[in-house]
Amino acid sequence: MGIESLARPDIVAMTPYSSARKEAPGVGILLNANEAPWPLIEEPGCLNRYPDPQPAQLLSRLARLYALPEDRVLVTRGSDEGIDLLTRVFCRAGQDAILQCPPNFGMYQIAARTQGAQIISVNRDPQKDFELDQQAVVQSLRDNPQIKLIFLTSPNNPTGDVIDPRFLERLLQETRNQTIVVLDEAYAEFSDQASAVNLINENAQLVVLRTLSKAWASAGLRCGVVLAQPEVIDLLRRVIAPYPLPSPVVELALRMLEPGVLEKQQALLERLRFNKQYLLDALRKLSFIRKIIPGQANFVLIKVDHADEVLTYCAGTASSSVGFHQTR
Ligand SMILES: *Cc1c(COP(=O)(O)O)cnc(C)c1O
């Protein structure tokens, strides 16, 4: 049984929209998209023309970055779009479900609600440091065959913990031909845990989400990446907007992925690690903080008695506060 059998039959049966740039490559004299032949302003990047739906050079740089062939890469408007596409492709409204492990990223739930999919939650217990309840996840999958997507986050937002590779392996055994396993690695660069990207080759149901928003300091770009076997990528390409990435974004993303920037990224990660330690040391001196969970991402989780008041206080003083060290 292939991955297609997990997707919504409507999506599999649909003839995808064939945009002009898909039907003929964007070179030579272009007449098939009713564009203006000349731009009104010079830059950036050929504004009068529709962009490439999946820009070849960008795909190639991302493929190299994640060490996968290009047919396993889809560039999206942030991971948010990847989450939305997956939910739309695999969940039939009113019938199928997603599984999530809250507290986690809020967009899984939003995407499921928008699509009319059921949300099954295996909650993390605050009494146990919000540790993932592995047994409950497996049990829930067995009890609920309508689960089409399971969203796991590593490191998780907001708890900062990573998925145990042995559990991931077990889950991939459990879900073969049955459920898509989405591993959201938005914060992977901050952690010393190895990425699950290299498991994609042997697991057709595994999808890894990456983004330029966090460790590439480019949240404003809206550039996310879905990594999976070509069957999954092809299904997502059926429903993605015809031209998801604006030309100026593509140009900037290409610059971001030039070799020299990787060094800058290393310096940024180092600086953030230093500032995180500084923050943790400061937090440990505050008596009203009941618990600190440092996690492996670029944030920390704290427990206080009056969370709303602390939040309001921090929001009000953030602009006038001393600030953290900018340099070492
Ligand atoms: C911030 C974040 C993302 C990134 O979303 P983008 O749309 O790529 O900006 C994805 N997943 C999680 C868990 C996040 O916290």
Side-chain angles (χ1 to χ4, degrees):
M1 203 165 60
I3 286 301
E4 247 185 33
S5 64
L6 295 179
R8 283 170 53 204
D10 316 358
I11 303 291
V12 177
M14 176 176 89
T15 310
Y17 174 67
S18 187
S19 59
R21 262 326 82 88
K22 256 191 203 169
E23 289 185 339
V27 290
I29 298 172
L30 305 176
L31 299 172
N32 69 342
N34 306 338
E35 301 150 320
W38 315 284
L40 290 180
I41 56 173
E42 278 312 309
E43 55 180 333
C46 233
L47 284 186
N48 56 314
R49 297 296 179 188
Y50 282 104
D52 190 341
Q54 286 291 299
Q57 219 187 340
L58 185 54
L59 277 193
S60 133
R61 286 207 187 157
L62 289 167
R64 208 170 330 140
L65 178 64
Y66 301 118
L68 283 177
E70 285 162 36
D71 62 359
R72 292 168 190 222
V73 181
L74 182 77
V75 201
T76 56
R77 287 167 293 190
S79 304
D80 292 342
E81 185 175 41
I83 293 163
D84 181 57
L85 296 175
L86 285 159
T87 312
R88 282 197 280 144
V89 162
F90 289 101
C91 293
R92 289 167 299 178
Q95 294 182 57
D96 296 325
I98 68 145
L99 188 154
Q100 63 164 0
C101 303
N104 61 8
F105 191 42
M107 285 310 293
Y108 312 141
Q109 198 172 156
I110 298 286
R113 276 198 206 293
T114 307
Q115 177 60 17
Q118 189 193 344
I119 299 158
I120 295 177
S121 293
V122 173
N123 293 314
R124 293 155 175 269
D125 185 353
Q127 303 305 324
K128 295 179 183 159
D129 281 2
F130 297 102
E131 194 182 291
L132 186 74
D133 190 342
Q134 302 178 353
Q135 194 47 45
V137 169
V138 172
Q139 196 55 49
S140 182
L141 279 171
R142 290 181 182 161
D143 294 344
N144 300 286
Q146 75 274 33
I147 295 172
K148 286 296 176 62
L149 292 172
I150 156 160
F151 285 102
L152 294 172
T153 324
S154 187
N156 185 46
N157 173 5
T159 54
D161 60 317
V162 295
I163 301 285
D164 180 344
R166 283 162 305 184
F167 175 63
L168 183 60
E169 204 166 297
R170 177 168 171 220
L171 200 64
L172 289 170
Q173 296 287 337
E174 211 46 62
T175 52
R176 209 166 286 277
N177 301 326
Q178 280 180 40
T179 313
I180 302 288
V181 177
V182 184
L183 191 64
D184 185 341
E185 292 190 338
Y187 301 97
E189 293 90 342
F190 302 107
S191 133
D192 40 29
Q193 171 119 329
S195 167
V197 161
N198 59 351
L199 299 177
I200 287 174
N201 288 334
E202 299 101 63
N203 294 282
Q205 82 280 34
L206 176 63
V207 178
V208 175
L209 301 178
R210 301 293 294 251
T211 178
L212 300 191
S213 290
K214 307 286 158 61
W216 288 91
S218 299
L221 263 190
R222 309 310 304 133
C223 197
V225 191
V226 180
L227 303 168
Q229 287 196 10
E231 279 165 289
V232 175
I233 300 294
D234 291 347
L235 284 162
L236 301 182
R237 285 196 71 164
R238 287 171 165 259
V239 296
I240 197 170
Y243 304 105
L245 298 166
S247 318
V249 169
V250 175
E251 294 236 324
L252 286 168
L254 282 173
R255 275 175 55 194
M256 201 57 67
L257 298 172
E258 277 169 13
V261 183
L262 201 59
E263 276 169 39
K264 284 193 173 182
Q265 187 199 37
Q266 288 313 309
L268 172 80
L269 293 177
E270 182 60 27
R271 199 156 118 188
L272 290 174
R273 258 192 295 277
F274 178 81
N275 275 336
K276 181 173 168 181
Q277 194 51 53
Y278 179 87
L279 173 67
L280 287 168
D281 293 344
L283 292 175
R284 284 190 183 113
K285 293 184 191 127
L286 299 174
S287 57
F288 65 89
I289 293 181
R290 299 264 171 258
K291 191 174 192 76
I292 300 174
I293 300 180
Q296 294 204 24
N298 59 346
F299 52 80
V300 300
L301 182 63
I302 59 169
K303 183 176 184 208
V304 293
D305 285 333
H306 306 283
D308 287 342
E309 282 168 45
V310 174
L311 188 64
T312 308
Y313 176 80
C314 290
T317 53
S319 51
S320 60
S321 73
V322 205
F324 293 108
H325 286 208
Q326 286 301 305
T327 52
R328 299 194 67 162

